mmCIF file of all heavy atoms in Angstrom:
data_model
loop_
_atom_site.group_PDB
_atom_site.id
_atom_site.type_symbol
_atom_site.label_atom_id
_atom_site.label_comp_id
_atom_site.label_asym_id
_atom_site.label_seq_id
_atom_site.Cartn_x
_atom_site.Cartn_y
_atom_site.Cartn_z
ATOM 1 N N GLU N 439 -9.407 34.540 22.061
ATOM 2 C CA GLU N 439 -9.547 33.616 20.928
ATOM 3 C C GLU N 439 -8.866 32.251 21.118
ATOM 4 O O GLU N 439 -9.030 31.374 20.299
ATOM 5 C CB GLU N 439 -9.015 34.292 19.648
ATOM 6 C CG GLU N 439 -9.755 35.553 19.266
ATOM 7 C CD GLU N 439 -9.221 36.146 17.978
ATOM 8 O OE1 GLU N 439 -8.175 35.677 17.483
ATOM 9 O OE2 GLU N 439 -9.821 37.076 17.465
ATOM 10 N N VAL N 440 -8.076 32.161 22.168
ATOM 11 C CA VAL N 440 -7.318 30.881 22.402
ATOM 12 C C VAL N 440 -7.885 30.181 23.613
ATOM 13 O O VAL N 440 -8.092 30.771 24.653
ATOM 14 C CB VAL N 440 -5.870 31.185 22.698
ATOM 15 C CG1 VAL N 440 -5.074 29.924 22.913
ATOM 16 C CG2 VAL N 440 -5.240 31.947 21.503
ATOM 17 N N PHE N 441 -8.225 28.867 23.395
ATOM 18 C CA PHE N 441 -8.855 28.094 24.445
ATOM 19 C C PHE N 441 -7.780 27.128 25.104
ATOM 20 O O PHE N 441 -6.854 26.651 24.398
ATOM 21 C CB PHE N 441 -9.984 27.210 23.883
ATOM 22 C CG PHE N 441 -11.190 28.010 23.549
ATOM 23 C CD1 PHE N 441 -11.287 28.630 22.299
ATOM 24 C CD2 PHE N 441 -12.269 28.152 24.444
ATOM 25 C CE1 PHE N 441 -12.473 29.351 21.971
ATOM 26 C CE2 PHE N 441 -13.359 28.854 24.117
ATOM 27 C CZ PHE N 441 -13.496 29.454 22.895
ATOM 28 N N TYR N 442 -8.002 26.940 26.398
ATOM 29 C CA TYR N 442 -7.177 26.026 27.191
ATOM 30 C C TYR N 442 -8.102 25.105 28.014
ATOM 31 O O TYR N 442 -9.214 25.462 28.314
ATOM 32 C CB TYR N 442 -6.196 26.762 28.123
ATOM 33 C CG TYR N 442 -5.242 27.657 27.399
ATOM 34 C CD1 TYR N 442 -5.572 29.006 27.169
ATOM 35 C CD2 TYR N 442 -4.059 27.210 26.895
ATOM 36 C CE1 TYR N 442 -4.723 29.930 26.516
ATOM 37 C CE2 TYR N 442 -3.178 28.053 26.225
ATOM 38 C CZ TYR N 442 -3.493 29.393 26.009
ATOM 39 O OH TYR N 442 -2.621 30.201 25.334
ATOM 40 N N THR N 443 -7.591 23.953 28.412
ATOM 41 C CA THR N 443 -8.292 23.066 29.295
ATOM 42 C C THR N 443 -7.820 23.245 30.690
ATOM 43 O O THR N 443 -6.609 23.289 30.931
ATOM 44 C CB THR N 443 -8.072 21.643 28.821
ATOM 45 O OG1 THR N 443 -8.445 21.467 27.472
ATOM 46 C CG2 THR N 443 -8.884 20.653 29.640
ATOM 47 N N VAL N 444 -8.759 23.349 31.621
ATOM 48 C CA VAL N 444 -8.476 23.464 33.016
ATOM 49 C C VAL N 444 -9.274 22.395 33.791
ATOM 50 O O VAL N 444 -10.355 22.049 33.351
ATOM 51 C CB VAL N 444 -8.725 24.864 33.612
ATOM 52 C CG1 VAL N 444 -7.749 25.858 33.034
ATOM 53 C CG2 VAL N 444 -10.113 25.300 33.361
ATOM 54 N N SER N 445 -8.764 21.999 34.965
ATOM 55 C CA SER N 445 -9.426 20.985 35.693
ATOM 56 C C SER N 445 -9.082 21.170 37.204
ATOM 57 O O SER N 445 -8.041 21.589 37.560
ATOM 58 C CB SER N 445 -8.974 19.604 35.222
ATOM 59 O OG SER N 445 -9.595 18.557 35.963
ATOM 60 N N GLY N 446 -10.085 20.895 38.034
ATOM 61 C CA GLY N 446 -9.823 20.974 39.493
ATOM 62 C C GLY N 446 -11.078 20.689 40.282
ATOM 63 O O GLY N 446 -12.191 20.604 39.761
ATOM 64 N N LYS N 447 -10.887 20.562 41.607
ATOM 65 C CA LYS N 447 -12.020 20.341 42.517
ATOM 66 C C LYS N 447 -12.663 21.719 42.848
ATOM 67 O O LYS N 447 -11.988 22.716 42.947
ATOM 68 C CB LYS N 447 -11.562 19.705 43.769
ATOM 69 C CG LYS N 447 -11.246 18.259 43.603
ATOM 70 C CD LYS N 447 -10.955 17.549 44.963
ATOM 71 C CE LYS N 447 -10.738 16.088 44.757
ATOM 72 N NZ LYS N 447 -10.518 15.386 46.035
ATOM 73 N N VAL N 448 -13.988 21.710 42.883
ATOM 74 C CA VAL N 448 -14.729 22.930 43.211
ATOM 75 C C VAL N 448 -14.507 23.284 44.707
ATOM 76 O O VAL N 448 -14.850 22.522 45.549
ATOM 77 C CB VAL N 448 -16.224 22.743 42.922
ATOM 78 C CG1 VAL N 448 -17.004 24.006 43.305
ATOM 79 C CG2 VAL N 448 -16.455 22.404 41.458
ATOM 80 N N LYS N 449 -13.875 24.471 44.875
ATOM 81 C CA LYS N 449 -13.582 24.939 46.242
ATOM 82 C C LYS N 449 -14.759 25.727 46.809
ATOM 83 O O LYS N 449 -15.122 25.510 48.001
ATOM 84 C CB LYS N 449 -12.324 25.806 46.202
ATOM 85 C CG LYS N 449 -11.851 26.334 47.563
ATOM 86 C CD LYS N 449 -10.621 27.155 47.384
ATOM 87 C CE LYS N 449 -10.122 27.597 48.749
ATOM 88 N NZ LYS N 449 -8.887 28.453 48.571
ATOM 89 N N SER N 450 -15.396 26.526 45.927
ATOM 90 C CA SER N 450 -16.567 27.262 46.358
ATOM 91 C C SER N 450 -17.354 27.693 45.197
ATOM 92 O O SER N 450 -16.856 27.795 44.090
ATOM 93 C CB SER N 450 -16.187 28.488 47.287
ATOM 94 O OG SER N 450 -15.398 29.393 46.481
ATOM 95 N N ILE N 451 -18.615 27.979 45.367
ATOM 96 C CA ILE N 451 -19.552 28.440 44.336
ATOM 97 C C ILE N 451 -20.005 29.841 44.699
ATOM 98 O O ILE N 451 -20.734 30.026 45.682
ATOM 99 C CB ILE N 451 -20.748 27.479 44.145
ATOM 100 C CG1 ILE N 451 -20.270 26.068 43.829
ATOM 101 C CG2 ILE N 451 -21.710 27.963 43.068
ATOM 102 C CD1 ILE N 451 -21.349 25.056 43.745
ATOM 103 N N ALA N 452 -19.661 30.829 43.869
ATOM 104 C CA ALA N 452 -19.982 32.229 44.178
ATOM 105 C C ALA N 452 -21.318 32.586 43.551
ATOM 106 O O ALA N 452 -21.960 33.532 44.095
ATOM 107 C CB ALA N 452 -18.871 33.191 43.618
ATOM 108 N N ASN N 453 -21.765 31.984 42.499
ATOM 109 C CA ASN N 453 -22.999 32.350 41.888
ATOM 110 C C ASN N 453 -23.644 31.053 41.298
ATOM 111 O O ASN N 453 -23.095 30.427 40.406
ATOM 112 C CB ASN N 453 -22.803 33.391 40.781
ATOM 113 C CG ASN N 453 -24.137 33.906 40.267
ATOM 114 O OD1 ASN N 453 -24.893 33.146 39.640
ATOM 115 N ND2 ASN N 453 -24.360 35.195 40.376
ATOM 116 N N GLU N 454 -24.877 30.681 41.815
ATOM 117 C CA GLU N 454 -25.503 29.522 41.388
ATOM 118 C C GLU N 454 -26.231 29.571 40.029
ATOM 119 O O GLU N 454 -26.585 28.618 39.410
ATOM 120 C CB GLU N 454 -26.546 29.057 42.420
ATOM 121 C CG GLU N 454 -26.001 28.645 43.761
ATOM 122 C CD GLU N 454 -25.478 27.238 43.775
ATOM 123 O OE1 GLU N 454 -25.637 26.545 42.677
ATOM 124 O OE2 GLU N 454 -24.975 26.752 44.794
ATOM 125 N N THR N 455 -26.450 30.871 39.532
ATOM 126 C CA THR N 455 -27.096 31.046 38.265
ATOM 127 C C THR N 455 -26.096 30.997 37.098
ATOM 128 O O THR N 455 -26.278 30.230 36.132
ATOM 129 C CB THR N 455 -27.866 32.398 38.234
ATOM 130 O OG1 THR N 455 -28.788 32.484 39.318
ATOM 131 C CG2 THR N 455 -28.541 32.651 36.919
ATOM 132 N N TYR N 456 -25.042 31.809 37.200
ATOM 133 C CA TYR N 456 -24.067 31.802 36.097
ATOM 134 C C TYR N 456 -23.068 30.716 36.217
ATOM 135 O O TYR N 456 -22.415 30.318 35.228
ATOM 136 C CB TYR N 456 -23.373 33.191 36.137
ATOM 137 C CG TYR N 456 -24.278 34.295 35.660
ATOM 138 C CD1 TYR N 456 -24.959 35.103 36.619
ATOM 139 C CD2 TYR N 456 -24.395 34.573 34.283
ATOM 140 C CE1 TYR N 456 -25.778 36.145 36.197
ATOM 141 C CE2 TYR N 456 -25.288 35.640 33.887
ATOM 142 C CZ TYR N 456 -25.931 36.421 34.884
ATOM 143 O OH TYR N 456 -26.785 37.390 34.422
#
Side-chain angles (χ1 to χ4, degrees):
E439 296 181 353
V440 180
F441 287 85
Y442 299 94
T443 303
V444 293
S445 182
K447 287 188 176 182
V448 177
K449 183 178 181 182
S450 62
I451 301 174
N453 186 299
E454 294 279 359
T455 302
Y456 290 94

